[in-house]
Each structure stands twice: as C-alpha cells, then as structure tokens.
Amino acid sequence: MCGLTGVILGRKRRKRDELVTIRTLFTGLLLLNQKRGHHATGVAVLRRDGSAAVFKRPVTASSLIQADDYWQALRLDDSVTVVLGHTRFRTRGSERNNANNHPLVVGPRAGTAAGARGIVYGTHNGTVINADELFRKFRLPRAAEVDSEVLFRMVRRARNDAEFKSMLALCVGSTSAAWVRGDKPERLRLLKGDMPLDAAYAPRLDAVFYASEAWMLRSVLARQAHWVIGLDAFTLSTFDARDLLGFTQQDVFFLSPDAMLSPTR
C-alpha cells in the first residue's frame, strides 16, 4: 500500500500567508501518509505554463521535508496549479532506483515549459498484476521497473478518455491514482478504483485537497472550513483550477482481485 495526497489550487490572487497555509496543509497530509509507505517519498509541483518541479528520494516523508530541496520545490505562488504527493511502500522495483519512485514522470524530458507537451506526472496506489503483458500488448516504452508506470503510459498514449477507459478495462489489480498532463496543467485527474481515496474542498483557500484516507483530511483541515467531495469507487474525476466545484465524474472499470474472487451470480 502507498499514500496519495495533493492539492489543486483554484484561480485566485493569494497573499503570502495563504500560500504558506496551503504548503503547510499539504506537508501535513504528506506526513500522515507516511504510515502507508516509508520506503520513498516524492512531490511534483505543476505551474500554469506546464513547467514542473519534481523532488523524490528513497526516504520517509519525515526525512524528505527536512531537505532544503523539498522546500525549494514547494515554493508556491499564483502560477502553481497542482501539487502531487506520494509515500511509497515498495512492492516491485527498488527504491534505490529513483525512477521507480513517485511521482512518476512519463514522456519527454520534464521540468521546462518547452518540454511540457506529452508529459504525464502521476502517482499510484495499488498493483497492476498484468503490467508486463500490457506493456507488450500496447508496445509501450518503459523507463522503470514498477508496474505503476503502465498506467501513466496508457494515459499518455490514449487520445481521449474513451480510449483510456478501454485500455484501463484490461488492467488486473488494485488501483487508485492521481495525475496531471504537462499540456493541461490546470486539470487534476483522480482515479478512485478499489483503493481508498478521498477529497475535500476548502472554500477560503479555493483549493481541493485529497488523501488516501478521509481521517487525514479531517485532521489536517480541522481548522479550515471545508466539505467532503464524494469520490465514488470506480470513477475518474476531473478537477479544473478554473472551476473547482464544476468537477466531473465518470465511471471506469478494471478487474480487481475482489471482483475475481466474487462468486458469479
């Protein structure tokens, strides 16, 4: 099991103290998710021009936030759209190879606006049991050892949601995930499958926070007015920074272990 967390910021002019609050809340969620994964931790900060800062290391969340590079990556201003966070529990692929750690970066060289087109920044909780088979079937390139990579390769390959959903339907395993495309930096996609994932909207901050467990959001946002956003199982939600409350949700399908074990009716 791994921990997912992050925030998408609505379009508004923010004072410095508000940006500090958002950074503090995100860091709190990252620390709480450490219980779900202690082998590696990472963050990705997306900006409106498609550029990104990615910082990940094979350490716990409590160790990562002590690094100057963490706070350098987490410099927030009004150009920031989405922050992705992940705490990894190693299953497949050594955490010593940083390419295996999340956020995964799939596509051309990341970090610049010029290279933004076609890049996918993604975090995943779960296991795609038939990842090797899917890499071969769709002739997808591979840069890491983790099965999670196949999910974001499919995101990048698919021309639209319908095509992605048809590819996802061939996956066997357990999945919840979050990702952002570099060419659409104001759109956060949250895939809640059969693994936990919850979200909440904080109106004063005009921001949507998400985490792997609802109690984490309740704890960190306790002093912020907020309300829970219903993320149904086996749905793909799309949040746009230009209208956070106008998010959409569509059904998805893949074969989870629970479904495989259920008796036929």
Side-chain angles (χ1 to χ4, degrees):
M1 100 182 147
C2 297
L4 304 180
T5 193
V7 56
I8 177 169
L9 286 67
R11 275 196 170 185
K12 65 172 286 192
R13 294 182 65 86
R14 291 180 169 84
K15 296 180 179 178
R16 175 178 168 77
D17 63 336
E18 192 172 342
L19 292 167
V20 170
T21 296
I22 292 171
R23 185 172 68 169
T24 302
L25 295 173
F26 168 81
T27 300
L29 288 170
L30 191 69
L31 287 169
L32 290 182
N33 271 278
Q34 178 173 297
K35 70 184 288 290
R36 297 185 58 86
H38 59 271
H39 292 109
T41 311
V43 298
V45 180
L46 279 291
R47 286 184 158 76
R48 198 164 290 124
D49 64 359
S51 63
V54 179
F55 181 57
K56 53 185 180 177
R57 291 290 184 271
V59 297
T60 62
S62 56
S63 294
L64 191 82
I65 69 166
Q66 294 181 47
D68 290 341
D69 286 347
Y70 172 81
W71 298 105
Q72 184 71 11
L74 217 63
R75 285 185 308 158
L76 303 187
D77 53 43
D78 284 341
S79 71
V80 172
T81 55
V82 178
V83 183
L84 300 173
H86 188 270
T87 58
R88 183 180 178 216
F89 185 88
R90 178 192 63 241
T91 51
R92 181 174 178 181
S94 171
E95 69 276 16
R96 294 183 181 181
N97 176 0
N98 211 32
N100 292 326
N101 298 327
H102 300 221
L104 298 178
V105 182
V106 168
R109 184 175 295 276
T112 64
R117 186 171 179 81
I119 298 176
V120 177
Y121 302 87
T123 58
H124 174 229
N125 173 29
T127 304
V128 183
I129 297 170
N130 61 334
D132 293 344
E133 174 189 334
L134 294 172
F135 272 113
R136 292 191 296 268
K137 178 178 178 63
F138 295 116
R139 298 183 179 181
L140 298 170
R142 193 168 194 174
E145 304 161 283
V146 289
D147 52 271
S148 303
E149 184 182 355
V150 75
L151 184 66
F152 305 117
R153 291 287 178 187
M154 292 192 299
V155 169
R156 184 169 184 264
R157 172 69 60 85
R159 290 165 293 183
N160 50 48
D161 283 353
E163 185 174 2
F164 169 69
K165 287 162 66 174
S166 70
M167 298 169 81
L168 179 67
L170 299 177
C171 292
V172 178
S174 298
T175 288
S176 282
W179 68 84
V180 180
R181 296 182 61 105
D183 55 355
K184 296 178 180 178
E186 291 189 298
R187 291 179 64 191
L188 169 69
R189 315 300 301 274
L190 294 182
L191 170 63
K192 180 173 180 176
D194 55 347
M195 300 297 281
L197 189 62
D198 288 277
Y201 176 68
R204 187 181 73 81
L205 300 174
D206 191 26
V208 171
F209 295 84
Y210 68 89
S212 281
E213 299 181 41
W215 71 266
M216 298 175 178
L217 292 168
R218 290 195 301 269
S219 175
V220 167
L221 298 177
R223 297 186 178 182
Q224 296 287 331
H226 67 278
W227 60 78
V228 173
I229 294 174
L231 298 181
D232 297 327
F234 289 92
T235 58
L236 174 61
S237 299
T238 303
F239 291 88
D240 193 307
R242 293 163 292 190
D243 180 16
L244 290 180
L245 292 182
F247 71 96
T248 61
Q249 198 172 87
Q250 54 187 304
D251 294 334
V252 296
F253 171 81
F254 59 87
L255 199 56
S256 71
D258 286 346
M260 295 169 68
L261 293 172
S262 296
T264 7
R265 295 181 184 273

